[in-house]
Amino acid sequence: MSMERRTILKGLAAAPVALAAPGYLRRAAAQEGTLDVAAVYSLSGTFANVGTLLNNGSQWAAEKYGSVLGKKINYILLDDRGDPGEAVRKVQEVMTQRGVRHIVGCTNSAIALAVQKEVFARGGVYVQMAGADESTGKDCNRSNFRWPVASYSAVNATVRPLIEKFPNAKKWYTITGQYVFGDSLLTNCKAIFAEKGLTHVGNSYHSLSDREYSGYIATALAAQPDVLAICNFGNQTLDVIRQAISFGMKRNTKILAIWSTGLDQYQALGPDNCEGVYFGCNFWHGVDTPGARAVAEVVKAKTGDVPNYLHACGYAVVQVLVEGIKKAGTTDVPAVIKALEGMSYEGPTGLETVRAEDHQVIKDYYLMLGKAKGAMKDKNDFADIVSATKAFLPPDKTGCKMT
């Protein structure tokens, strides 16, 4: 056995039973009153900062619940290093050698799309936070559930309200991450541009590893757009915004980050950069709901501050799984899946419902506008909500054929 494989197996050995133990020992351990929940996050690689915060939210939710149906929740972290292949290998090992059937989490869409196929093939249930439409669209399956909105919803909940607000903004330029999620955002943008008779004056693709965007922004400036729409994720969104502002683009162009991670990104940008920029977001701590207050209580106890989107999202996928188990009255996977379908609960954005047809959680997506430093009521009051929209394709239009 290679040193790498021994290291991986050692890291997975979080219970008294060794991973390589025979099936009867694993069944005996399961009867001792624990429920293994594996969480798949990138703690290294391009989006390690995102994966770390998502993992915090999930781990804190598992600690808050503590147990379900009398079984202590045993949280098992799988670091996929930002690699879909690594994520699949880790999930295979934990499901085959440990017998784990309850999985949460992802850091990007490519990882989630790979993992959801693996979990389905091995008879598990998976609650995750991918943005790509395919996750609850053409690649949907019975095992897979998604908490945040799809790319379609994010685009329609931000681009359409902005068009209504600025009807004379006819020319749009896009800067897009050349990966599954970025392409999904861009495809949905183009559909709205065509429908509304807007001119898409250009698009610049960047790679997953890019950090320098001055060439793309210079090209965008030359096209003289009314709106710059940013179709990417994580630190790359921050870098594009900063560099666009440094080129003076904010003076004559509206800037829209279609998918932001909210508070943590606003803090990184600072109020001067946030002011006047539009952001799409799945969660905002200023929305007062029972579910949001529950998340806020947990995060305040851990950090002394308010939750950001990544905390809330990590928390939410564990909440959905645990509430489904409670509703089912068993940890048996088919029963949990059935209980989740159509389930309503108080989530971080308010009353949320798991749509049975495609396993998409129906919830608000927010269009936000960064405010001036002098208008901030406190250190976290970076933006106002312009609109809150549930913008979802009808189930028969998503391409989901549930298997």
Side-chain angles (χ1 to χ4, degrees):
M1 180 183 290
S2 69
M3 179 64 70
E4 182 181 0
R5 181 169 173 80
R6 287 199 300 272
T7 301
I8 291 171
L9 294 183
K10 182 178 179 182
L12 293 175
V17 182
L19 288 174
Y24 73 89
L25 286 179
R26 293 200 301 271
R27 287 192 296 273
Q31 293 169 1
E32 289 176 359
T34 62
L35 172 68
D36 288 338
V37 176
V40 186
Y41 290 117
S42 306
L43 302 188
S44 51
T46 302
F47 298 128
N49 62 317
V50 174
T52 298
L53 292 173
L54 288 168
N55 174 58
N56 286 343
S58 291
Q59 191 164 12
W60 297 342
E63 290 172 4
K64 176 184 182 293
Y65 278 103
S67 63
V68 58
L69 304 182
K71 292 181 179 290
K72 178 176 170 48
I73 297 173
N74 182 35
Y75 187 84
I76 304 169
L77 173 60
L78 309 179
D79 178 10
D80 58 43
R81 305 177 189 175
D83 178 6
E86 180 78 359
V88 169
R89 287 191 292 273
K90 291 281 182 75
V91 169
Q92 285 175 341
E93 286 192 344
V94 81
M95 294 188 78
T96 58
Q97 299 181 29
R98 185 74 173 267
V100 175
R101 292 294 176 267
H102 303 82
I103 320 287
V104 299
C106 73
T107 307
N108 65 46
S109 294
I111 289 170
L113 291 171
V115 169
Q116 69 185 62
K117 292 176 184 175
E118 189 66 27
V119 175
F120 176 61
R122 296 180 182 276
V125 58
Y126 180 43
V127 187
Q128 44 87 355
M129 57 277 282
D133 291 338
E134 294 89 340
S135 179
T136 55
K138 68 181 183 63
D139 290 339
C140 73
N141 63 53
R142 289 297 306 281
S143 293
N144 180 64
F145 295 81
R146 168 171 47 198
W147 182 76
V149 305
S151 302
Y152 170 91
S153 301
V155 170
N156 279 268
T158 55
V159 172
R160 289 187 187 278
L162 210 60
I163 291 170
E164 292 174 9
K165 189 174 180 64
F166 301 105
N168 293 325
K170 301 294 187 183
K171 297 189 298 181
W172 290 61
Y173 194 95
T174 51
I175 293 180
T176 305
Q178 197 162 21
Y179 36 79
V180 172
F181 179 61
D183 264 326
S184 192
L185 291 174
L186 178 61
T187 297
N188 285 290
C189 282
K190 286 180 174 179
I192 295 178
F193 299 160
E195 175 195 332
K196 294 293 186 179
L198 304 177
T199 303
H200 188 203
V201 294
N203 174 68
S204 293
Y205 272 120
H206 65 77
S207 75
L208 188 64
S209 60
D210 277 345
R211 295 301 298 268
E212 172 56 49
Y213 305 93
S214 56
Y216 307 135
I217 292 165
T219 302
L221 275 168
Q224 298 183 323
D226 299 308
V227 183
L228 171 67
I230 302 169
C231 303
N232 62 11
F233 180 65
N235 280 340
Q236 295 189 311
T237 304
L238 297 179
D239 291 337
V240 172
I241 291 173
R242 287 193 190 102
Q243 292 175 40
I245 291 172
S246 73
F247 271 67
M249 203 163 190
K250 194 161 64 168
R251 286 195 293 270
N252 299 310
T253 305
K254 304 297 180 188
I255 298 175
L256 168 64
I258 292 173
W259 187 286
S260 79
T261 57
L263 181 60
D264 65 299
Q265 289 191 331
Y266 306 161
Q267 290 168 334
L269 286 168
D272 290 340
N273 284 333
C274 285
E275 182 182 358
V277 175
Y278 289 87
F279 301 88
C281 198
N282 273 286
F283 169 83
W284 183 239
H285 67 275
V287 177
D288 186 21
T289 69
R293 289 195 292 273
V295 176
E297 180 182 326
V298 169
V299 173
K300 185 172 179 59
K302 293 292 185 179
T303 69
D305 210 341
V306 300
N308 58 41
Y309 159 67
L310 297 171
H311 290 145
C313 190
Y315 180 100
V317 294
V318 172
Q319 179 187 15
V320 170
L321 176 63
V322 173
E323 293 299 331
I325 291 171
K326 287 165 64 176
K327 183 182 175 187
T330 176
T331 59
D332 182 62
V333 167
V336 172
I337 290 171
K338 184 176 180 180
L340 283 168
E341 293 176 334
M343 181 181 79
S344 292
Y345 61 97
E346 282 290 344
T349 67
L351 185 64
E352 301 172 355
T353 301
V354 182
R355 192 160 67 177
E357 293 89 344
D358 58 358
H359 296 181
Q360 169 67 57
V361 171
I362 305 301
K363 57 177 286 297
D364 281 333
Y365 193 78
Y366 305 105
L367 174 63
M368 309 191 69
L369 175 61
K371 58 172 58 176
K373 185 175 183 179
M376 293 172 64
K377 298 183 180 70
D378 58 56
K379 65 173 184 166
N380 295 316
D381 184 33
F382 283 91
D384 289 323
I385 295 175
V386 176
S387 61
T389 310
K390 292 181 176 69
F392 293 89
L393 276 171
D396 62 346
K397 302 294 186 184
T398 64
C400 175
K401 295 182 177 11
M402 193 65 72
T403 55

